[in-house]
Amino acid sequence: MTIFWHRRDLRAFDNAGLYEALKAGGPVQPVFIFDKEILDKLEDENDARVTFIHQSVSELNEVYREEGSAIRVYYGKPKELWPQIIEEFGATAIYTNRDYEPYAQDRDLVIKKLIESKGGSWHDFKDHVIFEGHEIEKNSGGPYTVFTPYMRKWREKLSPSNSPDGGGQLVSPPRGDGRGDIPPALAPYPCEDHYKNLNQVSAPKPIPTLKDMGFTKSDIEFPPTSVARGLIRTYDETRNYPAQEGTSRLGVHFRHGTISIRQKALAALDLNDTYVNELIWRDFYSNILQNFPHVVDAPFRPEYAGIPWTDDEAHFEAWKAGKTGVPIVDAGMRELVATGYMHNRVRMITASYLTKHLLINWQWGEAWFARHLLDFELASNNGGWQWAAGCGTDAQPYFRIFNADSQQKKFDPKYEYVKRWVPEYGTSEYPEPVVEHKFGRERAIATYKEALAKAKGGG
Ligand code: FAD
């Protein structure tokens, strides 16, 4: 029996690893593990991501049930569960899609060794990104650390025939109906052609409930998996205005693989270049995490490690609660906790306010976003925070500091977004800024400058 292990790919269509498992013959038994190593660290019992995953796994199971199969779902620690899974199904092969986070890489290595020690085989595939870290490299070798040249190389790699030198190597032969107009890296994996190879299950085991795992259902609403083409077509014009429905809200689906990145990228190619660029940012930050895993715990640029943060708990609490007295910051922070979402423009403004005006460690902010964002993705969240703090790869220089007032005037001029989330704005109840712009800006520049000079001088 072959096991297909679902992780960040909660779908049974256009799924690289599932397709390869089914194509190799059968029977293929799909498996999902609610990972206690991860769940035990979550602080909120109504964590919306757990509800989302539970719902998505249940929907995925319905697809399998229609084919006479069923997903087998476990709750526990993967390293402890796998010996039992291998035994239960007499597994001789494990197929899965690659996960690039350091925890997942270590875990997968252990499971790979386990199945191999029993004479079986391990097969992993690229599915979560369009191009992996090693696929887009500088001409001189090594990974890119700046977005624009990375983006150009990415585009060349996607459509070699459009590149200035007229071509290169195709990365994989076209699959599916062989439509010649699809870039090879976006060609679909037609799993449904091989569903006959799914393991037939007559008496499926129940999926553990949220309650079994110590969670309750969140009432946060999840965005749909499809987006109007018109929205993507005008994305470059609407994406910066937080009061508008101007972005796709697909982040949570990309994160958990409830949609296919290849399908969405292919559709976007004909609709909006700026949107394609955002998908390239996603690959870029994954590429950074894959090539520079130290970013998980430290700044990409080591000289930023010595910034003397204020560690001001009261300011941090005000920021988290949306009570800083800076309207667009407060609106964003409240949107985050209420909906699990924050608009990208506002993520940049709130992150900048925390790391520059409040001089609070970006890692505190990163952790708060990680706790609340539905679309939380280690690579992009870390990349976004390091960008805001100035210590990342292609980061905002430390002396360029957002003025929340000008951002407000430019991107929410009628205060529509602010009024939606901060009803007391404009009344006597609304506080003065905890740190005022001019003071905060000057303090940040002086502090960063001194710390960087010290790091340079080795002192
Ligand atoms: P759209 O604007 O519709 O973009 C489409 C997709 O492109 C997104 O869903 C996402 O997958 C990708 N994308 C867009 N912008 C970026 C970007 N700057 N970097 C990487 N991918 C991008 N994105 C996450 O997916 N997870 C995170 O945890 C995350 N944390 C962030 C933290 C900070 C401080 C900042 C500044 C940005 C962060 N982002 C994160 C990037 C971006 O804000 C979100 O991807 C975007 O707001 C999600 O909304 P959307 O799906 O409507 O995006």
Side-chain angles (χ1 to χ4, degrees):
M1 177 91 70
T2 296
I3 307 286
F4 178 73
W5 185 9
H6 282 280
R7 292 102 64 94
R8 292 168 171 252
D9 51 354
L10 301 180
R11 65 183 193 286
F13 63 93
D14 192 16
N15 179 322
L18 178 62
Y19 171 78
E20 297 296 346
L22 291 168
K23 199 169 69 110
V28 175
Q29 172 61 48
V31 154
F32 180 78
I33 300 173
F34 278 101
D35 187 341
K36 233 171 154 311
E37 304 272 7
I38 298 171
L39 296 185
D40 284 353
K41 295 198 181 86
L42 299 179
E43 292 167 77
D44 307 308
E45 69 169 22
N46 67 343
D47 191 302
R49 284 82 54 99
V50 184
T51 299
F52 179 84
I53 295 169
H54 196 268
Q55 193 175 304
S56 303
V57 169
S58 305
E59 285 166 14
L60 177 59
N61 193 38
E62 283 166 29
V63 177
Y64 286 129
R65 290 303 293 142
E66 274 177 29
E67 302 302 323
S69 187
I71 189 165
R72 179 84 162 92
V73 181
Y74 300 86
Y75 169 52
K77 298 186 174 174
K79 289 176 195 167
E80 292 170 9
L81 283 169
W82 268 104
Q84 171 197 328
I85 302 173
I86 293 171
E87 175 97 11
E88 185 178 335
F89 292 101
T92 51
I94 301 173
Y95 279 66
T96 197
N97 290 312
R98 286 194 275 279
D99 181 330
Y100 310 100
E101 292 187 7
Y103 161 72
Q105 300 258 303
D106 292 348
R107 174 198 63 200
D108 288 359
L109 195 59
V110 171
I111 312 304
K112 175 176 189 282
K113 284 188 182 147
L114 174 73
I115 182 86
E116 286 173 354
S117 74
K118 293 179 186 291
S121 55
W122 169 270
H123 310 260
D124 56 32
F125 299 87
K126 174 180 72 171
D127 183 76
H128 188 66
V129 292
I130 308 284
F131 294 120
E132 291 178 324
H134 62 91
E135 289 184 277
I136 308 284
E137 294 204 322
K138 296 185 207 164
N139 292 338
S140 54
Y144 283 101
T145 56
V146 177
F147 178 72
T148 304
Y150 173 88
M151 179 269 288
R152 289 204 192 101
K153 200 52 162 292
W154 190 104
R155 286 177 181 272
E156 262 176 54
K157 180 110 184 162
L158 188 73
S159 305
S161 53
N162 295 341
S163 73
D165 62 5
Q169 237 182 332
L170 295 183
V171 282
S172 62
R175 294 170 294 275
D177 60 7
R179 274 169 54 193
D181 52 348
I182 298 184
L186 303 185
Y189 292 88
C191 300
E192 52 289 352
D193 291 358
H194 301 281
Y195 277 171
K196 63 185 181 299
N197 289 340
L198 284 166
N199 188 33
Q200 297 297 296
V201 180
S202 50
K205 298 255 182 348
I207 297 175
T209 63
L210 287 171
K211 200 166 161 227
D212 292 339
M213 301 185 283
F215 287 90
T216 56
K217 192 167 177 293
S218 158
D219 47 21
I220 279 182
E221 250 181 70
F222 304 125
T225 51
S226 60
V227 183
R229 290 169 70 81
L231 186 147
I232 304 294
R233 199 170 280 124
T234 54
Y235 177 80
D236 54 319
E237 295 160 24
T238 57
R239 71 186 178 122
N240 269 314
Y241 301 95
Q244 291 185 25
E245 301 265 323
T247 71
S248 70
R249 302 268 176 139
L250 289 179
V252 60
H253 296 294
F254 285 129
R255 165 63 180 82
H256 297 287
T258 35
I259 54 178
S260 150
I261 181 69
R262 288 175 295 276
Q263 263 184 13
K264 296 294 180 190
L266 184 62
L269 282 181
D270 289 334
L271 294 173
N272 197 293
D273 233 31
T274 308
Y275 191 80
V276 175
N277 261 4
E278 298 308 316
L279 300 182
I280 303 177
W281 271 105
R282 179 177 175 275
D283 267 19
F284 176 70
Y285 281 138
S286 176
N287 148 74
I288 295 295
L289 179 66
Q290 291 171 50
N291 285 300
F292 305 96
H294 75 271
V295 296
V296 175
D297 301 307
F300 174 78
R301 298 168 194 274
E303 66 273 24
Y304 281 74
I307 293 175
W309 307 109
T310 62
D311 292 346
D312 187 321
E313 298 273 0
H315 281 173
F316 187 50
E317 289 305 316
W319 180 82
K320 289 196 295 187
K323 294 193 169 162
T324 63
V326 180
I328 198 157
V329 170
D330 292 344
M333 298 310 297
R334 294 186 199 187
E335 179 184 30
L336 172 66
V337 173
T339 67
Y341 181 78
M342 192 196 296
H343 188 276
N344 177 61
R345 169 64 43 189
V346 190
R347 290 187 204 198
M348 296 195 289
I349 299 170
T350 53
S352 172
Y353 191 73
L354 186 80
T355 55
K356 305 275 174 67
H357 290 84
L358 301 183
L359 259 185
I360 287 177
N361 191 340
W362 58 272
Q363 289 164 311
W364 292 21
E366 184 193 21
W368 184 251
F369 273 30
R371 176 168 168 185
H372 289 283
L373 278 176
L374 262 186
D375 63 32
F376 165 59
E377 168 95 78
L378 176 56
S380 300
N381 193 43
N382 180 274
W385 275 97
Q386 296 222 27
W387 176 88
C391 59
T393 42
D394 197 354
Q396 165 109 309
Y398 76 87
F399 47 81
R400 193 167 306 149
I401 295 186
F402 275 145
N403 178 336
D405 245 14
S406 338
Q407 294 285 313
Q408 175 78 52
K409 287 193 181 98
K410 227 166 143 182
F411 300 114
D412 186 34
K414 295 186 194 147
Y415 286 73
E416 289 163 273
Y417 177 69
V418 163
K419 284 181 191 152
R420 191 180 303 159
W421 293 108
V422 191
E424 77 276 22
Y425 174 68
T427 73
S428 57
E429 276 167 55
Y430 193 66
E432 290 297 313
V434 289
V435 168
E436 178 274 320
H437 176 62
K438 186 166 178 290
F439 166 79
R441 178 176 180 279
E442 286 169 3
R443 179 178 67 169
I445 291 177
T447 310
Y448 272 67
K449 195 172 174 186
E450 197 183 319
L452 292 173
K454 237 188 198 171
K456 210 170 164 194

